[in-house]
């Protein structure tokens, strides 16, 4: 784990926040890839254990969202991202007004789990909407692919 955070030694720690869920492991290259890209809001690709989709949504032209079914290469702009692997520039975070929860799951195509709404993405979408209110774009970094700890064993 220390290898993941060594690049922070050369970066100013008080300018970046890293959010990482306890069920997601961070690959060794993650911090250096995030710092190299230098986007205001950027995430790494990850799945919830047992899921067939990635916790990233693309925004469709009709205003709906849909899940990515595989990580994309390179750095791409996305509609919303999961908060389980997220790096954000501190000044950007300080500008945001965050109200947790997003109830309008009808805008998300395929956001069901056993026929029920898939609630795990609610706060992530609310966060993404808050970012868009201050004209911030959201990016996924193709070289950062995380996973559940069980995948690393």
């Amino acid at each position: 784990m220390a290898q993941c955070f060594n690049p922070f030694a050369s970066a100013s720690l008080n300018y970046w926040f890293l959010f990482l869920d306890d069920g997601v492991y961070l690959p060794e290259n993650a911090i250096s890839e995030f710092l190299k890209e230098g986007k205001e809001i950027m995430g790494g690709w990850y799945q919830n254990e047992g899921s067939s989709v990635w916790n990233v949504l693309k925004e469709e032209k009709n205003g709906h969202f849909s899940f990515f079914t595989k990580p994309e290469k390179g750095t791409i702009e996305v509609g919303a991202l999961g908060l389980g692997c997220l790096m954000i520039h501190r000044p950007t975070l300080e500008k945001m007004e965050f109200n947790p929860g997003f109830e309008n799951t009808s805008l998300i195509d395929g956001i069901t789990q056993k026929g029920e709404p898939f609630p795990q993405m609610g706060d992530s979408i609310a966060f993404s909407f808050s970012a868009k209110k201050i004209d911030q774009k959201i990016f996924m970094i193709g070289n950062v692919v995380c996973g559940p700890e069980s995948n690393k064993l």
Side-chain angles (χ1 to χ4, degrees), residues 18-51:
L18 176 68
F19 295 87
L20 189 66
D21 281 356
D22 60 356
V24 175
Y25 76 86
L26 196 63
E28 290 180 13
N29 69 333
I31 302 298
S32 59
E33 289 293 326
F34 283 144
L35 292 173
K36 181 173 76 175
E37 289 296 331
K39 304 291 186 191
E40 300 285 320
I41 302 172
M42 53 198 153
W45 295 88
Y46 72 97
Q47 292 175 292
N48 289 337
E49 196 163 1
S51 176

Side-chain angles (χ1 to χ4, degrees), residues 45-58:
W45 295 88
Y46 72 97
Q47 292 175 292
N48 289 337
E49 196 163 1
S51 176
S52 62
V53 295
W54 294 79
N55 285 8
V56 183
L57 296 169
K58 49 186 151 187

Side-chain angles (χ1 to χ4, degrees), residues 9-122:
S10 63
S12 187
L13 284 180
N14 63 344
Y15 285 105
W16 295 97
F17 284 101
L18 176 68
F19 295 87
L20 189 66
D21 281 356
D22 60 356
V24 175
Y25 76 86
L26 196 63
E28 290 180 13
N29 69 333
I31 302 298
S32 59
E33 289 293 326
F34 283 144
L35 292 173
K36 181 173 76 175
E37 289 296 331
K39 304 291 186 191
E40 300 285 320
I41 302 172
M42 53 198 153
W45 295 88
Y46 72 97
Q47 292 175 292
N48 289 337
E49 196 163 1
S51 176
S52 62
V53 295
W54 294 79
N55 285 8
V56 183
L57 296 169
K58 49 186 151 187
E59 193 166 359
E60 306 294 346
K61 291 181 180 174
N62 62 3
H64 286 226
F65 293 88
S66 61
F67 283 101
F68 281 84
T69 57
K70 63 182 172 71
E72 299 282 327
K73 294 183 182 207
T75 299
I76 63 166
E77 187 177 347
V78 297
L81 75 161
L83 302 178
C85 182
L86 165 76
M87 193 155 163
I88 185 168
H89 197 230
R90 181 179 178 162
T92 300
L93 183 61
E94 289 173 346
K95 290 179 202 170
M96 292 175 63
E97 183 178 315
F98 178 62
N99 298 309
F102 178 78
E103 302 300 326
N104 193 358
T105 55
S106 65
L107 292 177
I108 305 164
D109 299 330
I111 195 161
T112 59
Q113 184 176 30
K114 297 181 182 174
E116 297 296 320
F118 190 68
Q120 286 88 344
M121 289 297 290

